[in-house]
Amino acid sequence: MSYHDESDEYPDGAVRLRNPNIELMDQDILYHLALGSGSHDLHQMFGDVKFICMGGTPKRMEQFANFIMDEIGYKLPAGTTLLDISQYSYRYSMYKVGPVLSISHGMGIPSVGILLHEVIKLMYHARVRDPVFFRLGTCGGIGLDGGHLVITDEAVDGMMRPYLELPVLGKLVQRPSKLDVELAKELQSLSTQDDPFETHVGRTMCTYDFYEGQGRLDGAFCDYTEKEKLEFLHKIHDNNILNMEMESLAFAALTHHAGIRAAVICVTLLNRLNGDQVASSKEVLNEWQNRPQAIVARYIKKHMGMT
Ligand code: R2B
Ligand code: URA
């Protein structure tokens, strides 16, 4: 079987790279993580990782690391504090709490794409088996008010195409943006009647821009009418698209290509059928952004045998 064969997917759960060059290199420098296979013992540092949680901002992912530490009762060695492992990259932040990695991915497909190349290689060098990747994010709801959760079953681009398209050597390469539907359903099943929000599973539109790319009327430029905007949003809503954000396409396509199970769970900040501006108070937005974290924490605890 050639290493390009989709059916050749990691019977032992190891993360395999679809790149024969890496094994032939003396060392692999994970430049944007400030780590390397020559400078660090990546197996010793990361060999026990199981759950890789990513989200946009360094602060939120630091906060998730502290939250999950409490949730799983993880104790840091006496006298130590939580460390940003990638602080000297000045790009992304990464925290490790036992089997959980909490990493910031920045905004947009290029940022999350670069990070995923390096985190997937990190898992390979660390010889991690069966990792599960999560994106915990924010999004605009399509027909859903602020504060609800959307778990993506399929990511589509701004043209509703279910793949990531990338120019490589002057040709367009398309990679299917598939997510693990069973994992999505399992996450949904972990929300309860007592949660002050609904948890939906559906399609997510991933765009290259927050303003014109998401049909907003409030960017620096706008060449369409409100009527045209609403026609588009209603059309995608009719196609079971529940939300819009900016990373799921690359997240789904690159994890799928690496044979890694992955889920995208985002909280809506507003209903785009009613407006464009994110106008809720900081306090409310902060509380909403804890909601994906709560569900992912339940998943992690369940799979650590704690519930
Ligand atoms: C959601 O929020 C960010 C834009 O405000 C972007 O990273 C995304 O996907
Ligand atoms: N993130 C997005 O990408 N869009 C929104 O409307 C809100 C958050």
Side-chain angles (χ1 to χ4, degrees):
M1 250 182 231
S2 85
Y3 73 91
H4 280 299
D5 192 329
E6 292 272 347
S7 62
D8 182 21
E9 272 184 11
Y10 331 134
D12 60 355
V15 173
R16 301 233 178 104
L17 299 182
R18 296 181 155 211
N19 178 1
N21 300 312
I22 302 295
E23 277 181 38
L24 306 175
M25 292 169 14
D26 285 348
Q27 61 164 334
D28 184 15
I29 298 172
L30 307 176
Y31 167 60
H32 304 88
L33 295 178
L35 291 169
S37 64
S39 50
H40 297 81
D41 183 342
L42 297 177
H43 177 58
Q44 192 258 324
M45 286 173 78
F46 296 101
D48 61 339
V49 166
K50 285 269 167 260
F51 311 101
I52 294 83
C53 303
M54 299 185 185
T57 74
K59 255 280 144 283
R60 185 144 298 280
M61 296 325 285
E62 181 184 9
Q63 191 230 323
F64 178 69
N66 280 302
F67 169 64
I68 202 72
M69 184 147 60
D70 273 0
E71 286 288 304
I72 65 176
Y74 182 82
K75 298 263 177 299
L76 291 171
T80 66
T81 53
L82 204 60
L83 178 78
D84 177 358
I85 298 167
S86 295
Q87 63 175 316
Y88 294 113
S89 76
Y90 303 105
R91 294 285 182 188
Y92 304 105
S93 292
M94 172 158 60
Y95 299 91
K96 182 174 182 302
V97 178
V100 182
L101 272 189
S102 180
I103 314 175
S104 69
H105 60 50
M107 269 198 290
I109 287 174
S111 183
V112 78
I114 294 164
L115 178 69
L116 280 168
H117 273 273
E118 295 186 13
V119 175
I120 291 168
K121 291 197 295 172
L122 177 63
M123 296 297 100
Y124 164 77
H125 292 303
R127 305 201 289 278
V128 168
R129 280 164 198 270
D130 287 321
V132 190
F133 281 42
F134 301 94
R135 161 166 147 70
L136 301 81
T138 59
C139 63
I142 312 292
L144 292 172
D145 289 337
H148 298 298
L149 293 187
V150 177
I151 304 172
T152 307
D153 61 7
E154 182 179 60
V156 297
D157 73 1
M159 307 292 287
M160 282 200 271
R161 301 179 304 181
Y163 48 81
L164 174 72
E165 193 168 68
L166 188 77
V168 177
L169 303 183
K171 291 194 188 113
L172 284 177
V173 172
Q174 297 172 344
R175 299 229 172 102
S177 45
K178 286 198 183 147
L179 289 157
D180 189 316
V181 176
E182 290 309 311
L183 177 60
K185 285 193 203 139
E186 184 179 350
L187 285 170
Q188 186 185 34
S189 77
L190 295 174
S191 70
T192 72
Q193 301 263 315
D194 298 336
D195 288 329
F197 52 84
E198 297 159 13
T199 303
H200 300 265
V201 175
R203 299 169 88 201
T204 295
M205 177 171 276
C206 178
T207 68
Y208 284 94
D209 173 50
F210 182 81
Y211 288 100
E212 292 169 281
Q214 296 187 2
R216 283 186 152 78
L217 301 171
D218 61 344
F221 318 107
C222 183
D223 301 327
Y224 40 82
T225 62
E226 179 168 22
K227 183 167 171 283
E228 287 168 327
K229 162 195 152 172
L230 286 172
E231 272 169 15
F232 178 71
L233 294 184
H234 282 289
K235 181 174 114 185
I236 67 172
H237 187 236
D238 291 345
N239 280 275
N240 193 31
I241 290 174
L242 300 184
N243 62 340
M244 276 185 179
E245 47 75 92
M246 299 179 60
E247 292 82 19
S248 59
L249 202 66
F251 195 83
L254 299 195
T255 51
H256 179 65
H257 202 53
I260 291 172
R261 292 199 299 141
V264 175
I265 175 163
C266 292
V267 65
T268 56
L269 300 187
L270 75 168
N271 182 354
R272 289 298 316 290
L273 300 183
N274 297 338
D276 294 333
Q277 300 236 310
V278 179
S280 298
S281 69
K282 275 271 165 284
E283 292 70 34
V284 167
L285 292 173
N286 280 337
E287 198 276 307
W288 285 352
Q289 288 179 51
N290 294 335
R291 294 177 177 184
Q293 300 188 3
I295 300 292
V296 171
R298 288 176 204 166
Y299 179 93
I300 290 172
K301 282 162 71 176
K302 177 178 163 197
H303 287 269
M304 288 179 72
M306 296 177 71
T307 52

